[in-house]
Amino acid sequence: MLSSTLVALAASLSLASAQVYKGFNYGATNTDNSPKTVSQYQNEFTTAQNLVGATGFASARLYTSIQAGTTNTYSEAFQAAINTKTSLLLGLWGSGGQAGLSNEITALQAAIQAFGSALTDLIVGISVGSEDLYRISPTGIINKSGIGAGPDVISNYIGQVKSAIAGTAANGKPVGHVDTWTAWVNSSNDAVIAASDFIGMDAYPYFQNTMTNPIDNGYSLFFDAYNATVGVAGGKPVWVTETGWPVSGPTENQAVPSVPNAKAYWDQVGCGRLFGQVNTWWYTLQDSFPTTPSPSFGIVGNPLSDTPLYDLSCSGVSTSGQDVPSASVTAAIALATAATAQAGNVGTGQKIGSGSGAQGQNAGSAPAGSAPTDLAPAPGSTSPAVGQQTPTAETQAPAHAPGSTVYSTTGVTITSCPSSCPKESQPQTESPTVPAATAPTTLITKTSVLPSASAVSASGCPASLSGTYEFPHLIVPVDKSQPSKAGGTSYNGTISSTISSIFNFDIPQSDSGKTCTLVFLLPQQDKLTTSAFSLSGSGGFDVARLSSPATEQTSFNTVPSVTSDLGGPESVTPGNEYVIASGMCFAGQRISYKVTATGSFDLNYFQDFNPSPIGFYITVC
Ligand SMILES: *[C@@H]1O[C@H](CO)[C@@H](O)[C@H](O)[C@H]1NC(C)=O
Ligand SMILES: *[C@@H]1O[C@H](CO)[C@@H](O)[C@H](O)[C@H]1NC(C)=O
Ligand SMILES: *[C@@H]1O[C@H](CO)[C@@H](O)[C@H](O)[C@H]1NC(C)=O
Ligand SMILES: CC(=O)N[C@H]1CO[C@H](CO)[C@@H](O)[C@@H]1O
């Protein structure tokens, strides 16, 4: 079963072709913060290429172009890479302010000047920044992950770096950014996606300690994250810049560090889906020199050795399917399965910052002396300047639809529009062609109830998710009993006597001229595999279209005004599909529906498109 799962996955993903890189992350300092030297880098790169049981790990991701301990001297890693023919995903530290970036650019330009094509031929890409967006997110702040930078700053820096290499031998190399998956799916950071040539994604199920994250869920959590990132990437390549499972350290919820678990994760995630298919820089080759951090992710210990702590040969994958969790999912995790649409849940990511406890791995490269002064020193590696990174974790979510346009994610702020997402700021016109048209605005049918799996609404669109559909990109609960409390984002739809939920849908421009139908699906509990709901009371709900989209800051007091009341079912029973309204699609717009309980209706469900889908969707036909 496993094998067949893997085969299917491999087939579905095989993109192809060109060279696919694999390697490890390399910090600029040792765990005692001493700078890594050219001979150390060379030993590490050589070790990576000669690991017993593994071949082809000949690419290095760096966090900085500055040699640790200097202001703007280029990294000794460059000479080591040239000596060992190691390809490079270069990094420029992005949280050191303009002066820090300028030092990075100075170092990089000097290296290009000094080595010419011997260096530039090795460059796979250049990442401007690493987890800068994560560090300014609530999770990053709570975890004291250090100084970060916002989307405008990073986008601007990316532009500066593109300009800086334009006249050099590195002209045209892809320039992008690395961040946690949770940062990528946060639509507030869309400008960085727009500015990037590639998306570097870090994801660590181990750190997703608010989710069900035992090693058996490592595969599904990781690919939920990967797929969700692909879903928002607008067709740009998504590279895996950090992932791994620790061999030792504290247990994070159900995630237990151990050598067998690290091997299982390598087999399932690395061998099973990434190596040879997606550019991947694993976390990590060695993180324990001279002292071992906690957690520790190194596949080799100290001293550096070609013999890994566990079997890297991937042989367990092809032979014993048992090792691969068949995507087991827990209630909180949805797998993307839909063919055209995909969705994903975004997890809450958690990550540990680089600092605090987390570890240190580090990477850091920190320009020494330079900027990042306060990055979080991880135990062990406290170095002021280190740009470190620690593995972070964030999480998961899925979604990406190969050529189509639908994506989705369970709740949360995902804005996964392939290329141009409707923004609130640019409310697209009302449908150009059809003025009064309206998507689920115009009631073609009064709420109709259809036995599950049946059918078609009066408009002719399927009520079920058998065809193209849109998933809500933001679910905001607002509470009458706490009227000024910002709703934030939720994975759940909650409809009770005090709480109403607002669902934002982003309707792609490509749906122009099509019919959109707002449906509510409530399967029987026993038909749900990855979701659940609780239902009590009697009554139903009322749906209203709002004049403007809700945001995470929307509270009961600030709910936008109602544009039209669509009505809703007077009673709701599991096993039914409810067609709320149908009409011309509001193509290119973000539309928002508020759902309020009637009677004593009380429903709390996990919005999920997995079989059987549950919740509010817009079907398109
Ligand atoms: C989303 O990104 C913005 C900009 O980087 C950040 O300020 C905000 O905290 C992020 N939100 C979450 C929930 O991470
Ligand atoms: C991620 O997307 C791929 C390709 O669409 C799909 O085969 C896979 O099942 C998805 N994985 C998860 C965990 O959603
Ligand atoms: C979301 O709904 C599921 C299923 O009813 C429930 O188990 C979970 O506790 C809910 N979560 C929240 C935050 O309400
Ligand atoms: C809010 C939040 O996600 N906090 C996380 C910070 O990191 C620790 C682990 O160091 C997690 O336990 C917390 O959940």
Side-chain angles (χ1 to χ4, degrees), residues 168-263:
T168 75
N171 181 39
K173 292 293 180 181
V175 180
H177 173 71
V178 167
D179 225 299
T180 59
W181 79 270
T182 47
W184 287 120
V185 302
N186 175 345
S187 59
S188 298
N189 296 323
D190 282 356
V192 181
I193 294 176
S196 296
D197 297 325
F198 67 88
I199 307 303
M201 184 206 76
D202 295 352
Y204 291 90
Y206 165 74
F207 287 115
Q208 292 174 225
N209 59 13
T210 59
M211 310 192 77
T212 304
N213 66 341
I215 183 63
D216 284 354
N217 282 0
Y219 179 92
S220 58
L221 285 171
F222 176 82
F223 284 104
D224 281 348
Y226 181 78
N227 285 7
T229 304
V230 171
V232 300
K236 294 185 178 179
V238 177
W239 298 346
V240 177
T241 39
E242 287 182 36
T243 194
W245 192 279
V247 294
S248 62
T251 294
E252 288 286 345
N253 194 16
Q254 289 132 297
V256 180
S258 71
V259 168
N261 286 349
K263 176 188 183 309

Side-chain angles (χ1 to χ4, degrees), residues 43-66:
N43 287 340
E44 291 181 345
F45 296 165
T46 302
T47 297
Q49 294 182 23
N50 290 291
L51 286 168
V52 173
T55 57
F57 285 84
S59 194
R61 174 182 170 229
L62 305 176
Y63 295 90
T64 179
S65 290
I66 299 173

Side-chain angles (χ1 to χ4, degrees), residues 567-602:
E570 287 172 6
S571 69
V572 170
T573 318
N576 288 302
E577 296 171 345
Y578 299 85
V579 175
I580 311 301
S582 216
M584 292 294 295
C585 293
F586 283 116
Q589 296 189 45
R590 175 169 296 167
I591 47 178
S592 211
Y593 296 98
K594 183 181 69 156
V595 182
T596 306
T598 58
S600 58
F601 186 72
D602 194 319

Side-chain angles (χ1 to χ4, degrees), residues 150-541:
D152 295 346
V153 170
I154 296 297
S155 303
N156 174 281
Y157 288 179
I158 289 170
Q160 290 186 40
V161 172
K162 286 180 176 178
S163 300
I165 63 171
T168 75
N171 181 39
K173 292 293 180 181
V175 180
H177 173 71
V178 167
D179 225 299
T180 59
W181 79 270
T182 47
W184 287 120
V185 302
N186 175 345
S187 59
S188 298
N189 296 323
D190 282 356
V192 181
I193 294 176
S196 296
D197 297 325
F198 67 88
I199 307 303
M201 184 206 76
D202 295 352
Y204 291 90
Y206 165 74
F207 287 115
Q208 292 174 225
N209 59 13
T210 59
M211 310 192 77
T212 304
N213 66 341
I215 183 63
D216 284 354
N217 282 0
Y219 179 92
S220 58
L221 285 171
F222 176 82
F223 284 104
D224 281 348
Y226 181 78
N227 285 7
T229 304
V230 171
V232 300
K236 294 185 178 179
V238 177
W239 298 346
V240 177
T241 39
E242 287 182 36
T243 194
W245 192 279
V247 294
S248 62
T251 294
E252 288 286 345
N253 194 16
Q254 289 132 297
V256 180
S258 71
V259 168
N261 286 349
K263 176 188 183 309
Y265 191 81
W266 173 274
D267 284 348
Q268 294 157 14
V269 175
C271 304
R273 270 288 283 295
L274 297 179
F275 301 150
Q277 299 184 56
V278 177
N279 287 348
T280 300
W281 290 271
W282 200 260
Y283 202 85
T284 195
L285 178 69
Q286 187 200 35
D287 63 0
S288 56
F289 178 80
T291 57
T292 302
S294 177
S296 174
F297 286 74
I299 63 166
V300 303
N302 183 19
L304 193 64
S305 161
D306 293 351
T307 303
L309 296 174
Y310 48 89
D311 179 7
L312 304 179
S313 69
C314 297
S315 57
V317 175
S318 45
T319 60
S320 97
Q322 262 339 4
D323 288 345
V324 181
S326 53
S328 48
V329 185
T330 59
I333 295 157
L335 296 181
T337 50
T340 36
Q342 346 249 213
N345 292 324
V346 178
T348 355
Q350 252 44 341
K351 159 189 228 149
I352 286 196
S354 29
S356 52
Q359 109 252 292
Q361 287 277 322
N362 357 192
S365 38
S370 45
T373 307
D374 354 0
L375 292 177
S381 62
T382 331
S383 90
V386 177
Q388 51 209 38
Q389 250 192 344
T390 315
T392 343
E394 297 232 310
T395 10
Q396 67 165 52
H400 96 299
S404 77
T405 324
V406 194
Y407 23 61
S408 44
T409 86
T410 305
V412 196
T413 320
I414 289 196
T415 305
S416 30
C417 304
S419 39
S420 59
C421 263
K423 291 289 184 212
E424 306 171 35
S425 48
Q426 44 165 230
Q428 307 279 10
T429 45
E430 297 263 302
S431 328
T433 35
V434 188
T438 28
T441 290
T442 316
L443 275 183
I444 287 183
T445 61
K446 261 204 163 182
T447 299
S448 59
V449 184
L450 304 164
S452 279
S454 64
V456 185
S457 72
S459 64
C461 289
S464 63
L465 304 188
S466 54
T468 303
Y469 65 90
E470 299 296 334
F471 197 93
H473 287 173
L474 183 68
I475 302 176
V476 183
V478 294
D479 189 346
K480 197 186 336 186
S481 67
Q482 296 177 274
S484 59
K485 183 188 171 200
T489 69
S490 176
Y491 302 116
N492 282 28
T494 307
I495 305 161
S496 71
S497 55
T498 54
I499 301 176
S500 297
S501 288
I502 301 173
F503 298 81
N504 281 4
F505 289 90
D506 294 307
I507 309 299
Q509 190 63 54
S510 56
D511 287 346
S512 176
K514 296 181 182 166
T515 298
C516 281
T517 300
L518 178 65
V519 301
F520 174 67
L521 312 177
L522 187 64
Q524 297 280 7
Q525 190 84 59
D526 65 8
K527 295 287 197 301
L528 300 172
T529 52
T530 59
S531 182
F533 65 86
S534 61
L535 173 65
S536 63
S538 62
F541 56 78

Side-chain angles (χ1 to χ4, degrees), residues 9 40-41 101 208 259 302 311 349 467 478 527 561 581 599 604-605:
L9 292 173
Q40 279 189 288
Y41 282 120
L101 182 78
Q208 292 174 225
V259 168
N302 183 19
D311 179 7
V478 294
K527 295 287 197 301
S561 62
N604 187 4
Y605 73 92

